[in-house]
Amino acid sequence: MIRNLIRGIITLLFGALGFFLVFLFLRLNLLQSLGWNLSPVWTYATMIILFAIFGFLVAPITIRSFLTLMRWMDSRLTRVPTHDLMSGAVGGIIGLIISSLFSSSFVSIPFFGPLLAVLLSIFLGYLGLTIGMKRKEDVLGLFNFLPRFRDRGDKAEKADKQREGKSEQLQSIEGMHYKILDTSVIIDGRIADIVKTGFLEGILLIPSFVLEELRHIADSSDLLKRNRGRRGLDILNQISKETAIKVHIHEQDFDDINEVDSKLVRLGQVLKSPLLTNDYNLNKVAELQGVMVLNINELANALKPIVLPGEEMLVQVMKEGKEPGQGVAYLDDGTMIVVDMGRRYMGQNITVLVTSVLQTAAGRMIFAKPKSSLEKKPMGLRPTDEVNAIG
């Protein structure tokens, strides 16, 4: 209802603008010089209708732009200390007083006089506001001869500092309640199981540009990409319906940035919230720019069972290793076990003794030897074998 009322007011204002322009053109005889032959009544009616239609069409854009500007101003003004606002207001008032003294000399100029007076008022008002905020100590120093004002100024300054500190703490606390999901961790699917366990708290934030990327992947002509995109959308629906954690869609976008990963990093900086991902490159870029990252792969590696050298394990040698005579086995969680002299046992279940454990960026790697060979000839795994196995 309010939007329709504002749209009607904007339409009337544009119609009034058309009326004023026709009045101005008729007074300056500009329409006659251009060959305009319609009567003044039809000229007024035509211009008013055309401008009113134009105003009706651009009203939604104007309203959205105005609301965006007001939100931006509100977010900026709430961060400005009281002393800056006071000094800026004093400087702006002084600038407007000076402009009013000079404007009387411009008003007498035909046609351009009022316009110059308005531009001068805007310029001097903004100049006074800027100078007042930059030189706030000098501006407020003019009132220090009043003891009561000086005491209140000191108290206000302390209150501003305390308020700024509390607001920063609240912003950081509120930001930590959000977990920003990227496209890869949604498609991965393990996030749904983690959320069900209850170990993840706060609010899951899904940026609108991530949803748009998921939709593009789901509509891809490539079958694999299409299945991945649809899996990601199904995971989101599962999280929002079957879990107690809240899921919010965040509409903020960054039009000056093209890549989704860069937008995620910027959003993490703005909201002071961690990114939930399993993308190695995004992880490193975000950490370099001071954004906290919760990596699903690091969580999975941390939850893998700890294996100590000397423990016995029953494994099945699955394939041949890179070095001669080596065999490779796997645990249930996918951890690779490099079995020295295990090639001869391919396809068999054997008992091995752990000789060393190596943690790499790709995960944990276990080196072992068949128990039977160690009983015959005890011998540890050489460091060169571990290096070759990794390479």
Side-chain angles (χ1 to χ4, degrees):
M1 182 63 185
I2 297 177
R3 287 180 177 269
N4 294 332
L5 179 61
I6 297 175
R7 192 172 188 178
I9 294 174
I10 294 175
T11 303
L12 293 176
L13 289 176
F14 270 85
L17 177 63
F19 178 86
F20 174 75
L21 290 177
V22 172
F23 173 78
L24 185 64
F25 290 162
L26 290 177
R27 186 176 179 181
L28 298 177
N29 296 324
L30 293 178
L31 295 178
Q32 290 81 355
S33 62
L34 295 175
W36 189 272
N37 298 323
L38 290 178
S39 63
V41 175
W42 282 106
T43 302
Y44 277 111
T46 304
M47 294 297 289
I48 290 174
I49 293 173
L50 289 177
F51 272 78
I53 293 174
F54 180 74
F56 182 80
L57 294 176
V58 301
I61 302 175
T62 306
I63 294 173
R64 286 197 298 269
S65 302
F66 178 76
L67 292 177
T68 303
L69 177 63
M70 292 302 296
R71 284 194 294 268
W72 178 80
M73 291 181 62
D74 180 67
S75 63
R76 292 294 298 271
L77 289 176
T78 52
R79 301 177 184 176
V80 179
T82 306
H83 275 62
D84 291 353
L85 290 176
M86 292 174 60
S87 59
V90 173
I93 292 172
I94 294 175
L96 291 175
I97 292 174
I98 296 174
S99 67
S100 65
L101 298 176
F102 287 98
S103 297
S104 58
S105 60
F106 292 106
V107 174
S108 58
I109 301 176
F111 185 67
F112 290 107
L115 180 61
L116 291 176
V118 172
L119 293 177
L120 182 64
S121 299
I122 295 174
F123 173 73
L124 290 180
Y126 177 75
L127 184 63
L129 176 67
T130 305
I131 295 176
M133 294 184 68
K134 290 184 177 180
R135 305 297 298 271
K136 61 180 179 180
E137 293 84 3
D138 299 334
V139 174
L140 297 178
L142 299 174
F143 301 94
N144 282 342
F145 64 91
L146 298 174
R148 183 175 297 178
F149 184 85
R150 183 170 60 250
D151 295 340
R152 289 182 178 178
D154 296 338
K155 292 180 181 179
E157 186 176 359
K158 292 180 181 178
D160 288 337
K161 291 181 179 179
Q162 292 177 357
R163 194 179 300 111
E164 288 177 1
K166 289 181 180 179
S167 63
E168 290 179 358
Q169 291 177 359
L170 289 175
Q171 286 179 359
S172 61
I173 292 173
E174 291 176 358
M176 291 300 292
H177 286 314
Y178 290 107
K179 307 292 187 299
I180 305 173
L181 271 64
D182 78 329
T183 312
S184 60
V185 80
I186 296 174
I187 295 176
D188 180 270
R190 289 178 290 177
I191 183 63
D193 298 328
I194 296 174
V195 171
K196 286 181 180 179
T197 61
F199 283 100
L200 196 63
E201 62 179 0
I203 301 174
L204 296 182
L205 209 64
I206 315 296
S208 58
F209 50 84
V210 170
L211 279 179
E212 187 67 18
E213 185 182 29
L214 274 177
R215 187 185 64 81
H216 281 300
I217 296 175
D219 294 338
S220 174
S221 57
D222 184 81
L223 179 61
L224 181 60
K225 288 185 177 181
R226 185 165 64 249
N227 291 336
R228 285 166 55 86
R230 291 177 180 177
R231 170 183 168 81
L233 295 175
D234 292 339
I235 292 296
L236 286 182
N237 290 328
Q238 179 182 350
I239 294 175
S240 60
K241 293 179 181 179
E242 300 181 4
T243 59
I245 196 169
K246 294 182 180 180
V247 179
H248 286 180
I249 306 298
H250 192 68
E251 298 294 341
Q252 183 177 3
D253 200 349
F254 303 98
D255 297 331
D256 56 329
I257 302 177
N258 295 326
E259 295 184 358
V260 175
D261 288 354
S262 301
K263 291 183 178 182
L264 285 167
V265 174
R266 176 72 66 83
L267 184 60
Q269 292 174 337
V270 172
L271 299 180
K272 294 182 174 60
S273 302
L275 299 179
L276 199 57
T277 181
N278 61 353
D279 190 330
Y280 180 81
N281 295 327
L282 177 59
N283 190 342
K284 294 303 179 184
V285 172
E287 288 180 349
L288 287 175
Q289 300 193 28
V291 179
M292 182 179 177
V293 178
L294 303 177
N295 196 313
I296 299 296
N297 290 334
E298 292 180 357
L299 176 63
N301 290 333
L303 294 177
K304 289 181 178 180
I306 299 176
V307 181
L308 299 177
E311 291 188 12
E312 294 185 6
M313 304 176 64
L314 180 63
V315 298
Q316 182 181 12
V317 181
M318 304 295 296
K319 62 180 183 179
E320 181 181 353
K322 291 185 177 181
E323 294 298 315
Q326 281 185 348
V328 177
Y330 296 94
L331 295 180
D332 294 336
D333 58 3
T335 303
M336 178 185 291
I337 304 175
V338 179
V339 182
D340 191 25
M341 297 182 294
R343 180 181 178 184
R344 68 184 73 172
Y345 302 104
M346 283 182 57
Q348 302 179 24
N349 293 323
I350 61 171
T351 301
V352 297
L353 285 176
V354 177
T355 57
S356 63
V357 180
L358 184 63
Q359 182 70 43
T360 65
R364 186 178 289 115
M365 184 178 293
I366 300 174
F367 295 89
K369 280 192 173 184
K371 184 179 179 181
S372 58
S373 64
L374 288 174
E375 289 176 350
K376 295 177 182 179
K377 185 179 180 181
M379 181 177 167
L381 186 65
R382 292 170 298 176
T384 53
D385 296 336
E386 297 182 8
V387 175
N388 295 332
I390 298 174

